[in-house]
Amino acid sequence: MHDISCGPVTAAGFSDEERAAVYKAIYTRRDVRDQFLSRPIHDEVLTRLLDAAHHAPSVGFMQPWNFIVIRDEARKAEVHRAFTRANEEAKALFADERQALYASLKLEGILKAPINLCITCDRTRGGKVVLGRTHNRQMDIYSTVCAVQNLWLAARAEGIGIGWVSIYHDRDLRNILGIPDHVEIVAYLCMGYADELYDAPELEKRGWRLRVPLEDLIFDEEWQGEPTINSDLLRPDPASGSRATRSASD
């Protein structure tokens, strides 16, 4: 039996400055698509970011993630072609003005970002029976998403932007990166320094959708129905910059 000789240590709180820095990273994090600089990300910085991701919580401490670092321009171009094909299919799913707005959006920075990163989840790691995953098979996927968030917030603190690319056919990306079938693709990220960021999510600034008010998403004790606001109907008010009224005619 493994002997753990050290016990818990003091759970000290953060100073005001440390706490403010954590919240600053959370609230100023953005999905970066077109603000990437050509400045390279040095290996020691990349290692810090990957180590932050590797310290994410994981069910049963199974640590199911792997990180595929992509710098090769030819491989990026293959991924970009796969994205472009899928993006044309996605655009056709939207109608009228939404399709035009969709077409105007910059949805990836695959070629512009110095580094692309594919984060995967090995669903066989830890064996057939994993502590904490016995009744919820998806916990390994959720754990890997926590690794993505860790990396994203650490990157924000380093002045590095992250863009999450989700528009591709799974099989295309597997073929390009040689990912086996038992490994799940969780995130394809574009990474690079950025000296400018939107002061709010780009999709909000461009009128695609607004943030749902927090108070409409909090229930007491049990599920209490859908949020009272359908955020698909919300558009920025060009006159005042405030939320539009809650009318389907807006």
Side-chain angles (χ1 to χ4, degrees):
M1 182 175 234
H2 184 59
D3 179 29
I4 300 178
S5 57
C6 60
V9 296
T10 302
F14 286 13
S15 69
D16 290 345
E17 292 78 11
E18 291 168 336
R19 185 170 59 251
V22 172
Y23 282 101
K24 180 178 179 180
I26 292 170
Y27 289 123
T28 62
R29 179 212 57 78
R30 294 289 176 262
D31 194 343
V32 176
R33 301 178 178 92
D34 201 34
Q35 294 82 40
F36 292 114
L37 304 176
S38 59
R39 175 184 170 189
I41 300 174
H42 294 302
D43 287 345
E44 63 269 22
V45 178
L46 179 61
T47 299
R48 281 202 299 270
L49 299 182
L50 296 179
D51 195 47
H54 186 45
H55 279 75
S58 67
V59 65
F61 202 42
M62 68 182 297
Q63 305 157 76
W65 40 71
N66 281 91
F67 309 100
I68 304 175
V69 180
I70 301 147
R71 296 185 178 90
D72 181 67
E73 297 302 327
R75 197 179 300 271
K76 288 183 192 175
E78 283 191 82
V79 175
H80 186 262
R81 285 192 290 271
F83 162 82
T84 300
R85 288 192 299 270
N87 194 47
E88 285 301 309
E89 296 168 0
K91 183 173 68 173
L93 298 176
F94 297 95
D96 303 327
E97 63 194 38
R98 295 290 273 180
Q99 185 175 109
L101 179 55
Y102 182 95
S104 72
L105 297 172
K106 171 71 171 175
L107 296 177
E108 49 73 39
I110 295 168
L111 299 179
K112 194 171 185 180
I115 290 177
N116 289 192
L117 179 70
C118 185
I119 301 182
T120 62
C121 174
D122 185 344
R123 311 212 67 185
T124 67
R125 194 165 297 166
K128 292 183 178 180
V129 180
V130 176
L131 188 155
R133 200 182 61 162
T134 53
H135 291 73
N136 189 338
R137 182 74 174 84
Q138 303 305 312
M139 290 304 297
D140 53 348
I141 299 291
Y142 303 155
S143 298
T144 306
V145 173
C146 289
V148 176
Q149 182 77 337
N150 266 24
L151 181 136
W152 211 329
L153 295 178
R156 178 67 190 93
E158 297 275 3
I160 292 172
I162 300 287
W164 190 328
V165 181
S166 60
I167 304 170
Y168 54 81
H169 288 289
D170 184 85
R171 180 50 56 187
D172 287 345
L173 202 54
R174 287 182 184 279
N175 290 339
I176 294 168
L177 302 180
I179 298 172
D181 287 340
H182 72 276
V183 173
E184 191 80 18
I185 300 170
V186 173
Y188 191 91
L189 306 175
C190 303
M191 304 176 60
Y193 285 99
D195 58 7
E196 291 183 336
L197 295 172
Y198 283 95
D199 60 0
E202 183 179 354
L203 293 182
E204 183 173 13
K205 300 288 283 188
R206 299 288 298 275
W208 185 263
R209 190 167 183 159
L210 294 181
R211 191 180 300 280
V212 177
L214 175 61
E215 58 268 25
D216 289 336
L217 302 173
I218 300 173
F219 299 151
D220 289 326
E221 305 295 346
E222 63 183 6
W223 181 261
Q224 295 167 352
E226 293 298 324
T228 57
I229 290 181
N230 180 347
S231 58
D232 280 331
L233 302 179
L234 295 175
R235 297 290 182 272
D237 183 340
S240 66
S242 63
R243 292 186 180 276
T245 58
R246 302 182 186 186
S247 167
S249 63
D250 289 336

